[in-house]
Amino acid sequence: MGDAAEAVFDWLQKNGAWFFDGMAVAMEALIDAVLWVLQTPHPLIVVLVLSALTWALHRRRGVTALVFFGFLFILNQGYWEETTESLTLVLSACVVCMGVGVPIGIFAAHRPGVYRWLRPVLDLMQTLPTFVYLIPAIVFFGIGMVPGLIATVIFVVPAPIRLTHLGISSTPTALIEAAEAFGAPPRQKLWKVELPSALPQIMAGLNQTIMLSLSMVVIAALVGADGLGVPVVRALNRVDTGLGFEAGLIIVVVAIMLDRALRVGK
């Protein structure tokens, strides 16, 4: 199995260089764009904008205050740059995963036979040790943020696929029959009936995408991705308990803020 896998990777590396180079350029452009948005303005301006977005989503003072003071805590601890780099990785992974996962989930929900073949592939992607993804990521994309993003996407994308499939396939039969009785074509049935019904599951998929992407921060640091994983790896190499606890606490704060801020409707 190892020899076969190595042969496949060698063939892809020789014959698919144009594809992987193009993908790397696109991913790098996305990462640079998100980094520019988060790092160019003054940190306090970014904090106020993110707090305002949280208020617009929830209209709740508690959640907004949690996000506001959470970011102030990060600024106080001196981890703003690392936090924005990790947020860049998370947001970029969300864009790619939701852009790929939602259409695949819709397609699989409309074709049960496809999902039966797709399910073991999703199981493999979620259960294969995440460190294994780093090897082909380094081979095809080198060192830096791009291989970290690719490894994160491969690990995370099954979540939006599964939850989108669940939401679409769980649309009440009565709604489908009513739409068909009124002569709705398939496209209108999808946009007017199935997607609104599946929206809670799709949003749950977005939440899971963000949380799983954040869990890859430390692992992505092993292939040169910047962010909060870097001080954790540095603390591990130095056996520095204080630095490890400090960076780990910042990751926890970011995870709590993202989780609360993106629980739309709760």
Side-chain angles (χ1 to χ4, degrees), residues 32-212:
D32 290 341
V34 179
L35 267 178
W36 184 86
V37 170
L38 293 177
Q39 292 187 345
T40 301
H42 192 277
L44 289 177
I45 295 177
V46 178
V47 171
L48 290 174
V49 170
L50 294 177
S51 300
L53 289 175
T54 304
W55 172 258
L57 285 173
H58 294 274
R59 302 289 179 179
R60 291 170 57 188
R61 296 178 182 176
V63 178
T64 305
L66 173 67
V67 172
F68 179 74
F69 288 109
F71 278 120
L72 289 185
F73 173 74
I74 292 170
L75 278 170
N76 175 263
Q77 296 299 305
Y79 281 87
W80 178 253
E81 184 176 354
E82 292 83 355
T83 300
T84 55
E85 290 166 347
S86 292
L87 285 175
T88 297
L89 183 64
V90 171
L91 294 176
S92 300
C94 285
V95 170
V96 177
C97 289
M98 298 303 289
V100 172
V102 172
I104 293 178
I106 294 172
F107 182 81
H110 290 157
R111 293 163 179 81
V114 172
Y115 187 70
R116 282 196 295 270
W117 287 95
L118 187 62
R119 186 165 52 189
V121 177
L122 299 178
D123 292 339
L124 175 67
M125 293 170 67
Q126 287 189 304
T127 55
L128 195 67
T130 51
F131 289 97
V132 177
Y133 297 135
L134 301 181
I135 301 171
I138 294 174
V139 170
F140 296 136
F141 302 100
I143 300 295
M145 292 285 280
V146 173
L149 175 59
I150 295 297
T152 301
V153 168
I154 296 173
F155 174 67
V156 174
V157 75
I161 293 176
R162 289 183 186 276
L163 286 167
T164 301
H165 171 270
L166 175 64
I168 297 295
S169 59
S170 300
T171 303
T173 306
L175 292 179
I176 300 292
E177 292 176 348
E180 292 174 347
F182 281 99
R187 179 178 299 180
Q188 192 174 30
K189 186 168 63 175
L190 172 65
W191 286 98
K192 299 293 186 179
V193 178
E194 292 177 332
L195 284 177
S197 177
L199 186 60
Q201 284 80 10
I202 294 175
M203 293 305 299
L206 175 62
N207 186 276
Q208 286 297 303
T209 298
I210 291 173
M211 294 297 105
L212 291 172

